[in-house]
Amino acid sequence: MTLLSWLSKGFLAMMDGTRRAILGGITLAAGALSVRTSSAAEADGHAAGYDVAPASKFASTIPRKVGDAVSFTTSLDKGSLKATSGGWARDVTARILPIATDIAGAHLYLNAGGVREMHWHTSDEWAYILAGRCQVTVVDPSGEMEVANYGPGDLWYFPKGHSHAIQTLGAEPCHAILAFNDGLYGEHGTFGLSDWASRLDPAMMAQVFGMPEDSIAGIPSGEVYIRQGALMPLDGPQSRATKVLSRSRTHRYPMLAAGPQTSSDGGSLAIASAEEYPMSAGMTGMLLRLQPGALHEPHWHPNANEWHYVSRGRTRVTLFAPDKRLSVAELSAGDCAYLPRGCGHTVQNIGKEECEVVGVLDSGSYQETSLSDWVQRVPAHLLANNLGLPDEAFAKLARKKSVIIAAA
């Protein structure tokens, strides 16, 4: 083979390879173009920079969440009982009701003459007196003391570290619903005088009290908790020996006597936030009363969890729960419910008599957002779009906040 022939053959081979590469590139480019063209034609919701398109397949509504309903209620009055000589208490914590991560509740009962000993907590304590009368002694961390008498419908609030004691006044027992801003509150968070003193060396206690050591021998060998004592008359010298602090510093608030903030034919709602009750900076109390068939309209609290106790009657509570599950529970007197922050809920009286619900939120600021707020403010055409109804369906809606809605 001549040099010229060899060069000619090599050149032709090279040209053939180049031709195949070019054709292959054209084929790949055409394929890619075909894919892009097909994607755009299907309008499948792709988004590449500005190259976006609507979805060609869609659902008219999102399927509801399936699975077990959220458990958010339990019976406080069937909880474990801690009873000593002067009374008893029951509590519900997150160990019993796991959803209740931030608020624990309790029911405290004092016999006539019963005394809940001096103690303090690592959490704040809130209470509403259901019945009876008592005298409450509080000593704050600065050493200032308040002694005040309480009756039905009154609240007390003790910030953490404020030591306090409760003693029944008169011949009738006293009992109250309590709440703590710690879902795991329990005996681990209570420090009692007798429990502490019984563990310290007698010589040390004698030194602390400035008393002979033999006089210390009568200190109980353990926690007395609620101890039976002599009856304290309603009009006796001890009951009259009060020292009530100013409005901004008192631990007592007469919520029932102050009256409700909202009322209608369907019932009423009383609120005791830090605005009305300055000491209660960390929790807000509420008292809801509903006539048969009436309801506290659909609403939620954007800044706080709610814990409540049915003190009278029967209710149906609907919770738009975490993970978008809807849960419904019927409660009777003695039951309690926990409604997590931001979750929509309603409370309706399903009994034949007025019902009463005592509740608390773990914020000193009361905030409530409701469906009637939306109806009052949102344009009708937007509601029509959201709910799939004609605009005129909303033209005559009552544009005012309802809160408590009477039965139809």
Side-chain angles (χ1 to χ4, degrees), residues 19-38:
R19 180 178 61 83
R20 286 197 300 272
I22 292 172
L23 290 174
I26 292 172
T27 301
L28 288 173
L33 180 62
S34 174
V35 169
R36 285 197 295 271
T37 303
S38 174

Side-chain angles (χ1 to χ4, degrees), residues 213-287:
E213 188 171 338
D214 58 2
S215 67
I216 301 298
I219 290 179
S221 59
E223 181 186 16
V224 300
Y225 192 55
I226 305 170
R227 193 171 195 180
Q228 187 62 46
L231 188 147
M232 191 162 79
L234 286 171
D235 58 351
Q238 289 175 305
S239 63
R240 293 196 298 266
T242 59
K243 178 190 175 185
V244 181
L245 300 178
S246 66
R247 177 185 176 275
S248 64
R249 293 156 57 225
T250 183
H251 298 78
R252 174 182 176 271
Y253 180 73
M255 182 165 73
L256 185 60
Q261 277 80 352
T262 299
S263 61
S264 71
D265 292 342
S268 63
L269 176 64
I271 299 296
S273 67
E275 182 177 349
E276 297 83 12
Y277 182 18
M279 176 58 69
S280 189
M283 302 174 86
T284 292
M286 62 181 190
L287 178 65

Side-chain angles (χ1 to χ4, degrees), residues 56-100:
S56 58
K57 296 179 181 180
F58 59 86
S60 58
T61 60
I62 303 299
R64 292 171 177 169
K65 289 281 186 178
V66 296
D68 295 336
V70 172
S71 177
F72 66 99
T73 67
T74 191
S75 173
L76 172 58
D77 285 4
K78 292 180 181 178
S80 60
L81 184 71
K82 180 178 179 179
T84 50
S85 64
W88 53 258
R90 304 177 187 271
D91 63 20
V92 168
T93 71
R95 295 180 180 87
I96 298 170
L97 188 61
I99 195 174

Side-chain angles (χ1 to χ4, degrees), residues 17 53 139 169 252 316 380 395-396:
V139 181
L169 288 175
R252 174 182 176 271
R316 178 183 293 118
K396 295 183 179 180

Side-chain angles (χ1 to χ4, degrees), residues 74-237:
T74 191
S75 173
L76 172 58
D77 285 4
K78 292 180 181 178
S80 60
L81 184 71
K82 180 178 179 179
T84 50
S85 64
W88 53 258
R90 304 177 187 271
D91 63 20
V92 168
T93 71
R95 295 180 180 87
I96 298 170
L97 188 61
I99 195 174
T101 55
D102 294 295
I103 305 176
H107 195 162
L108 174 68
Y109 180 93
L110 303 177
N111 301 338
V115 181
R116 175 66 174 102
E117 67 169 317
M118 287 294 296
H119 64 287
W120 73 98
H121 310 285
T122 55
S123 60
D124 298 354
E125 176 182 329
W126 173 97
Y128 176 87
I129 296 181
L130 291 172
R133 298 183 180 278
C134 63
Q135 186 172 94
V136 175
T137 301
V138 190
V139 181
D140 71 19
S142 69
E144 183 167 42
M145 182 179 72
E146 179 176 46
V147 180
N149 296 338
Y150 292 66
D154 289 346
L155 304 180
W156 70 60
Y157 184 82
F158 311 131
K160 60 184 178 181
H162 286 221
S163 58
H164 52 278
I166 302 102
Q167 182 172 10
T168 303
L169 288 175
E172 300 298 325
C174 180
H175 63 114
I177 296 301
L178 282 60
F180 306 85
N181 58 355
D182 174 3
L184 289 175
Y185 163 81
E187 291 313 303
H188 76 283
T190 300
F191 302 96
L193 175 61
S194 61
D195 192 16
W196 193 16
S198 70
R199 297 166 187 255
L200 296 177
D201 180 74
M204 179 188 294
M205 291 303 301
Q207 180 182 357
V208 170
F209 290 156
M211 300 167 61
E213 188 171 338
D214 58 2
S215 67
I216 301 298
I219 290 179
S221 59
E223 181 186 16
V224 300
Y225 192 55
I226 305 170
R227 193 171 195 180
Q228 187 62 46
L231 188 147
M232 191 162 79
L234 286 171
D235 58 351

